Each structure stands twice: as C-alpha cells, then as structure tokens.
Amino acid sequence: MADHGDLIESVYRHAVGFANEVGGPIRRLKVTVGEVSLEAEWPAPGDPGPPVPHLADLNGHHAPAPRPEPPTAAVAVVQSPMVGTFYRSPEPGAPPFVKEGDMVTPGQQVGIVEAMKMMNPVQAATAGRVTKVLAEDAGAVEYGQALFALEEG
C-alpha cells in the first residue's frame, strides 16, 4: 500500500489538473484515489469568505489541504495523448522543450510520452504562455492527464 503522503500528493495533482482542464469557474470539487479524498469548495459570488478545503481519509481524519488555484477562462492545458512515461526534454541532461514562462505556438512540441518503447511527441494545441508544469519529468502519466497549464494569448 502506498503511503498516505504519496496518495495525498497524487489526489492533489489530479484535482489541480482537473480544475485546470475545466477552464471555467468551479464551485465544488471532490476527487478520490484509493482511500484518500480531496474536497474543495470555492465561494459563490457574494459569499463572505472562502471555506477551507480539507483532505479526508476514509477513517474521518482531516488535515488542512493546499488550495488548488481556481482556473480562469483564459487557462488551457496540454494533455497527455496516451498512457506512458512523460519526459520534458528530448534526452537526459538536455534542456526541457519548454519551461514556465515560455510562449508556445499550436503544434509546438512541448514534451514526449514514451509508450511501449516508442517516443511520442506531445504538442501544444493552442498558443499561450506556460504558467505551470503539472506533471513530473520521467513520471507516469495517464491518457488525458494535464501536463502543462497555459495562459492563452
């Protein structure tokens, strides 16, 4: 069984990736992986203040959670085209294809997903500035997983 810290980090990454993929306001979000759940709620317009999200395991223990930043309408994501291993650079030790702050154009290669010993390019679908790298270099990724957050423009 994975340790709770790893599960919590995994749930958090999935929740942030999902929130970034939605591209619009989110009122409430709950993500569960194994025995760990992440619940986050953002205030509705006119609410006096934001509620504090909590990570809860099935035993009912609660711990304060880092708050995923709510996405804005100008946020897009670059998604993994398949299940595999994500690489940010063309080879070990080489600079990454892109880093936070870089501008990308549609069709520009931003990473690689290795699947069954085949290196598959990951390309940006839209133009924008890379605001966040959402996947770990040399880490496992799932189909459709958010790899990069982009501010369109």
Side-chain angles (χ1 to χ4, degrees):
M1 181 172 143
D3 109 9
H4 276 95
D6 291 342
L7 284 173
I8 291 168
E9 178 63 26
S10 176
V11 170
Y12 177 73
R13 279 195 324 268
H14 281 82
V16 170
F18 177 77
N20 286 327
E21 286 181 45
V22 170
I26 295 177
R27 174 80 173 106
R28 188 158 198 243
L29 174 68
K30 179 178 181 179
V31 178
T32 303
V33 175
E35 62 186 55
V36 178
S37 293
L38 170 87
E39 291 185 56
E41 188 170 335
W42 290 268
D47 279 358
V52 177
H54 286 81
L55 293 174
D57 67 25
L58 291 181
N59 295 324
H61 301 287
H62 294 275
R67 177 187 292 282
E69 294 179 17
T72 64
V75 172
V77 293
V78 176
Q79 297 177 327
S80 176
M82 63 194 60
V83 173
T85 303
F86 171 67
Y87 297 104
R88 292 188 56 203
S89 57
E91 59 187 39
F97 289 103
V98 295
K99 58 188 178 310
E100 290 180 10
D102 286 353
M103 292 296 295
V104 297
T105 58
Q108 178 179 342
Q109 185 170 358
V110 295
I112 294 172
V113 173
E114 178 186 6
M116 299 178 66
K117 307 237 183 231
M118 299 275 302
M119 299 298 179
N120 302 281
V122 176
Q123 299 173 333
T126 61
R129 180 175 311 279
V130 177
T131 58
K132 182 107 175 134
V133 177
L134 302 170
E136 287 186 40
D137 188 39
V141 294
E142 299 176 16
Y143 170 77
Q145 180 176 334
L147 304 175
F148 297 94
L150 303 178
E151 184 178 84
E152 293 180 317

